[in-house]
Amino acid sequence: MERWALVSGLQGDLDLYEQIQKELKQQRGVANLFVLGDLIGSQRKCNALLERLRQPKRADLQPDCIYGWWEEQLLAECGYRGERKAEGLRAEQGEAAVGELLASVDADHLNWLASLQFGFIELDCALIHGSSADVGDRLTEDTSALVLLDRLTRLDVNRLFTARCQRQFRLELSGGSIQSHVKDHAGEQQSEQAVPKRSVIGIGGGKHYTLYDPATDHIEFRIAGEPSNASGLTAREMVRAHAYPVLAAVSSLSLLSIAVLLIPQAVKTHRYNRCIDAQIALRASINPKGGTAAGKMNYLKAVEHCEGF
């Protein structure tokens, strides 16, 4: 199965997008590009990148985009979210940042941004900018396991890819169970619900992006512009890949050494057997009634001769 490329936080940087596209063409098996929001930002003009995303070049890996926190702020301020405004941006960066954001995107792109989906569900994976609760929800390595489980179960998926915190990580929620106790007028009730093994993956942001193979569940965290591990293996897998051949070579050398050490014993045993056979044949010709089976006279005399008694 083909691999996925997961990108977020471009914030209008067309040069960065072109660098990532270039690297993806050099990667084997990358067939899908998902841009998980924050296509725009307040630090630069974003129109060139938006035009490229809307009308990709023929050689580009076709991008599938969703909206992120910055798009939500822009659309809210422009009236696409009812009476809500960009209060989150105002609270974090002030009124000036709202004005800069409005100036960074032409009105021609607003309808397209408003048409973007909240997220994608692919196989048993959810691809979302924040989480199933909110586009601005920051999930990190320090988020409570119960919160992570809630975000996963809302969508009934086993893997949740998130980009809001702009960090790269993978958290495994091992299989287990949740026990609950409910006490009401009818008495106390207990229930237990099985929890399957699930994952939350932070794909990074900006030049940090992620490659994912759904067939093997393998994740590779990448940084645009830096040399990649051509094999696509993690550090642990690299150790395994190099250690196993070394261990196999050591085992082969050990077996070869044992075989060499056993050669003298094998030669000695072979000569002994030939001696026994020759002596039995000789004594049988002299004394046919002596017998050649084990324990018979001719056999015992042959053993006695070959052992030097």
Side-chain angles (χ1 to χ4, degrees), residues 6-173:
L6 302 134
V7 180
S8 183
L10 296 171
Q11 296 192 11
D13 193 340
L14 179 58
D15 292 337
L16 174 59
Y17 179 69
E18 290 180 337
Q19 174 67 34
I20 293 175
Q21 281 280 359
K22 179 181 177 181
E23 293 183 6
L24 295 180
K25 294 171 188 175
Q26 299 170 353
Q27 293 285 333
R28 298 177 59 183
V30 179
N32 301 95
L33 171 60
F34 297 101
V35 184
L36 305 188
D38 282 358
L39 320 174
I40 64 174
S42 61
Q43 301 302 311
R44 61 175 63 86
K45 292 288 186 181
C46 304
N47 299 304
L49 174 63
L50 294 177
E51 290 171 3
R52 178 71 167 273
L53 293 172
R54 297 179 66 180
Q55 298 178 341
K57 291 184 177 180
R58 180 175 298 180
D60 283 352
L61 191 61
Q62 301 296 307
D64 292 307
C65 305
I66 63 175
Y67 71 86
W69 186 81
W70 281 100
E71 289 78 36
E72 179 70 12
Q73 300 305 305
L74 176 64
L75 294 172
E77 190 66 22
C78 293
Y80 283 81
R81 297 294 189 257
E83 297 181 357
R84 287 194 293 116
K85 297 297 180 181
E87 300 305 330
L89 179 57
R90 282 189 174 88
E92 286 190 12
Q93 302 184 25
E95 188 66 38
V98 177
E100 292 170 354
L101 178 61
L102 292 172
S104 68
V105 179
D106 288 347
D108 297 342
H109 298 295
L110 293 178
N111 286 337
W112 179 75
L113 291 173
S115 69
L116 298 180
Q117 299 182 48
F118 178 77
F120 299 123
I121 301 294
E122 299 288 337
L123 303 177
D124 63 345
C125 304
L127 315 179
I128 299 178
H129 178 74
S131 77
S132 53
D134 185 75
V135 70
D137 194 10
R138 295 178 185 267
L139 301 180
T140 70
E141 307 96 314
D142 302 322
T143 303
S144 166
L146 289 177
V147 172
L148 297 177
L149 183 59
D150 171 73
R151 303 304 188 255
L152 285 159
T153 53
R154 288 185 186 211
L155 297 172
D156 193 23
V157 294
N158 292 327
R159 295 165 189 82
L160 173 60
F161 292 84
T162 179
R164 175 64 179 139
C165 71
Q166 298 191 336
R167 289 152 67 176
Q168 292 176 317
F169 63 88
R170 177 168 189 165
L171 294 176
E172 297 283 356
L173 301 179

Side-chain angles (χ1 to χ4, degrees), residues 233-246:
L233 300 178
T234 64
R236 178 178 295 180
E237 290 168 334
M238 285 289 289
V239 171
R240 290 175 178 173
H242 289 82
Y244 289 164
V246 171

Side-chain angles (χ1 to χ4, degrees), residues 211-273:
L211 300 179
Y212 177 66
D213 187 343
T216 62
D217 197 32
H218 173 71
I219 288 178
E220 180 184 353
F221 294 130
R222 294 291 320 279
I223 302 177
E226 294 190 5
S228 66
N229 172 12
S231 64
L233 300 178
T234 64
R236 178 178 295 180
E237 290 168 334
M238 285 289 289
V239 171
R240 290 175 178 173
H242 289 82
Y244 289 164
V246 171
L247 292 174
V250 171
S251 299
S252 299
L253 290 174
S254 299
L255 292 174
L256 181 61
S257 300
I258 293 172
V260 171
L261 293 174
L262 288 175
I263 288 176
Q265 182 66 33
V267 172
K268 179 180 178 181
T269 302
H270 177 66
R271 289 175 178 175
Y272 177 82
N273 290 333

